[in-house]
Amino acid sequence: MTSVTLLKDLVTFVTQSLSDYQYRDSQGELKSIQVKDGYLKVREDGDDEDFPYVLIRLGKGKSEYEEANVEVHFFVGVLDKDVDNGYISCLNIIDRIRHDLQATPFVADMYEVRPPFNWEMAEKETYPLWFGMLSCIFTIGNITNAETLVNDL
């Protein structure tokens, strides 16, 4: 159990969680939500081909003797031309991820989800692009735990 495998397993988890969601892209075509770890390619002005997306990145981590905890951020971006309700598309994605994580005590049967869940929307209006972020803590195993398991076999 490492930070990298946590990221990869979260991409799988979130992809499955959002598999029934589709949004319109800049051409008006229905598109599934792109879920990936890390970052998007550098955007040019008017380049909206990556929307909608969820980017999963690690924040701060802390390792103690028995366990390690890592903060995970889910960055959400949606293109929605509805001036009055476009932000709701972004919130719906955040809520779905949060609800599914809360209903699943362990992601990939290895990583414990720890409250609290924090989320926020971008303060600045960027119509027709809407941005939000969800954060929570995951517990991952420490190397001492793995050594203990091997020694107990």
Side-chain angles (χ1 to χ4, degrees):
M1 295 189 293
T2 68
S3 299
V4 173
T5 56
L6 169 62
L7 278 174
K8 301 301 181 192
D9 288 337
L10 283 172
V11 167
T12 301
F13 179 88
V14 173
T15 299
Q16 291 171 349
S17 177
L18 300 174
S19 64
D20 59 340
Y21 279 51
Q22 289 192 326
Y23 290 90
R24 298 214 179 266
D25 63 14
S26 60
Q27 310 304 314
E29 300 293 323
L30 282 176
K31 185 176 178 183
S32 297
I33 299 169
Q34 175 184 194
V35 180
K36 64 179 289 191
D37 58 286
Y39 298 83
L40 295 174
K41 64 179 178 46
V42 175
R43 289 182 55 225
E44 302 291 329
D45 285 341
D47 177 11
D48 299 327
E49 70 182 57
D50 290 320
F51 290 86
Y53 65 78
V54 176
L55 298 177
I56 305 171
R57 295 186 207 147
L58 297 183
K60 293 181 181 180
K62 182 177 182 181
S63 181
E64 296 183 16
Y65 181 72
E66 292 185 14
E67 66 184 22
N69 294 305
V70 62
E71 187 177 62
V72 177
H73 304 290
F74 302 84
F75 295 95
V76 177
V78 176
L79 182 147
D80 193 323
K81 295 183 180 180
D82 184 335
V83 176
D84 297 320
N85 297 306
Y87 70 96
I88 291 173
S89 296
C90 192
L91 281 173
N92 282 336
I93 295 170
I94 290 171
D95 282 345
R96 177 63 170 270
I97 296 169
R98 182 174 55 87
H99 290 155
D100 287 356
L101 285 172
Q102 287 176 317
T104 307
F106 290 89
V107 170
D109 296 322
M110 292 188 288
Y111 308 102
E112 184 179 6
V113 184
R114 292 260 176 107
F117 290 85
N118 299 299
W119 62 97
E120 62 184 289
M121 297 294 293
E123 290 183 24
K124 182 180 173 188
E125 183 181 327
T126 55
Y127 171 86
L129 304 175
W130 308 94
F131 301 96
M133 181 183 73
L134 169 70
S135 296
C136 60
I137 305 290
F138 284 86
T139 299
I140 61 176
N142 253 350
I143 192 69
T144 47
N145 293 355
E147 288 173 356
T148 302
L149 288 174
V150 169
N151 291 335
D152 287 345
L153 293 178

